[in-house]
Amino acid sequence: RPPNGGPMARTERVPVSLVDCAPTLLEVAGGTPPRHWKGVSLWSMDGGARVPARPFIVAELDRTADESGIKALVAGRWKLITRAGTASMELYDLETDRGETSDLRAREKTRAQNLRQELMSFLRSLPRPPGNAVTRPLDRDVEEKLRRLGYMN
């Protein structure tokens, strides 16, 4: 049961994103999300307010420095799934196949390629994940100070 008698659970027909979780939880706790946050609170989206339309939603599983893992793009009724390091793609029509049982990639080649290009373009626009920092040698004075403080042997 929601705190303070808030709205009960419901199903949204448009995709929502993980970026909506923090604003939603903050509003449930009585706070107001800062304007610069990308997500929106889903808590008070009853009484006519709707989830904002987004051109697409991207999901990643195991985003690492080598870009391995599974990536998906949901754009309207279409969902494209890719596997890093392969040319493998799957395409589903979520309006007619919510269970994602019928891969339409072969029949919708152009759509699949366009969605893949949009996905890759979006992923290239993101900052690199942690672990890709350029390392450089410590200068001798800094190294000596770290040794005296017990941070280095």
Side-chain angles (χ1 to χ4, degrees), residues 7-150:
M8 295 303 287
R10 68 184 181 279
T11 301
E12 289 291 341
R13 287 263 182 237
V14 297
V16 296
S17 176
L18 284 176
V19 298
D20 299 326
C21 289
T24 300
L25 293 172
L26 185 57
E27 185 179 357
V28 168
T32 303
R35 290 191 181 275
H36 69 275
W37 283 11
K38 293 185 189 276
V40 297
S41 173
L42 306 174
W43 182 249
S44 57
M45 292 226 166
D46 59 348
R50 300 284 20 116
V51 176
R54 294 180 169 114
F56 56 80
I57 296 217
V58 172
E60 294 182 87
L61 178 62
D62 190 27
R63 182 169 186 245
T64 60
D66 66 354
E67 297 298 318
S68 64
I70 297 172
K71 297 171 186 4
L73 180 133
V74 177
R77 67 189 289 171
W78 300 99
K79 181 176 183 179
L80 177 81
I81 300 172
T82 65
R83 287 175 175 69
T86 72
S88 170
M89 286 191 290
E90 298 169 33
L91 181 67
Y92 300 99
D93 181 344
L94 298 177
E95 279 188 17
T96 61
D97 181 19
R98 293 189 64 76
E100 301 173 22
T101 59
S102 181
D103 182 0
L104 302 175
R105 178 187 34 86
R107 192 166 51 194
E108 296 276 351
K109 287 180 185 177
T110 301
R111 185 182 313 277
Q113 286 300 331
N114 289 343
L115 290 172
R116 183 182 185 110
Q117 184 158 354
E118 185 147 16
L119 173 62
M120 293 304 137
S121 176
F122 173 77
L123 292 172
R124 281 192 298 273
S125 77
L126 297 176
R128 298 292 298 166
N132 293 323
V134 175
T135 59
R136 57 188 168 145
L138 289 175
D139 115 341
R140 286 183 183 222
D141 291 337
V142 170
E143 188 175 340
E144 183 54 38
K145 286 178 188 175
L146 290 172
R147 262 193 185 57
R148 278 185 280 164
L149 291 169

